[in-house]
Amino acid sequence: MGITSGIVLYAVIWWMTLLVVAPLKLKTQQDMGRVLRGTQSGSLEVHHLKPKLWITTGAATVLFVIIAGIILSGWITVEDLDWFNRMSPPVTAG
């Protein structure tokens, strides 16, 4: 795995982790009992974004270390993920 693919892998893991962490502990305007006129009752009032970004970064780093370790160790290779035999050499008629 090269540096560019490592950065891309970390970015994908980070964003996927953020999408899992972001909905946790949200408080909407309706939950707080203060719905502003002209807004939707489900609009966010308290989102705790900064702690969520730190949690996302920590979790993504741990997941990245585990996944990168598996990839770099060769425990799982591209050939292991070739379910349709696309990587096998072509069969020649003889």
Side-chain angles (χ1 to χ4, degrees):
M1 175 171 40
I3 291 178
T4 305
S5 57
I7 291 170
V8 169
L9 178 63
Y10 184 79
V12 169
I13 293 171
W14 193 90
W15 281 104
M16 289 178 66
T17 307
L18 180 64
L19 291 174
V20 170
V21 172
L24 303 175
K25 293 188 179 181
L26 291 178
K27 294 195 189 260
T28 63
Q29 289 182 6
Q30 185 176 7
D31 295 338
M32 302 297 285
R34 297 186 306 239
V35 179
L36 297 175
R37 188 171 178 201
T39 63
Q40 189 178 29
S41 63
S43 299
L44 295 180
E45 185 71 26
V46 180
H47 51 73
H48 305 291
L49 186 59
K50 192 171 184 178
K52 288 181 183 181
L53 293 177
W54 284 110
I55 291 168
T56 299
T57 302
T61 302
V62 169
L63 289 171
F64 174 75
V65 168
I66 292 169
I67 294 170
I70 290 171
I71 292 171
L72 292 174
S73 71
W75 191 42
I76 297 176
T77 63
V78 175
E79 288 80 20
D80 294 332
L81 302 175
D82 183 23
W83 296 312
F84 301 110
N85 295 323
R86 295 181 184 170
M87 305 272 308
S88 60
V91 179
T92 58

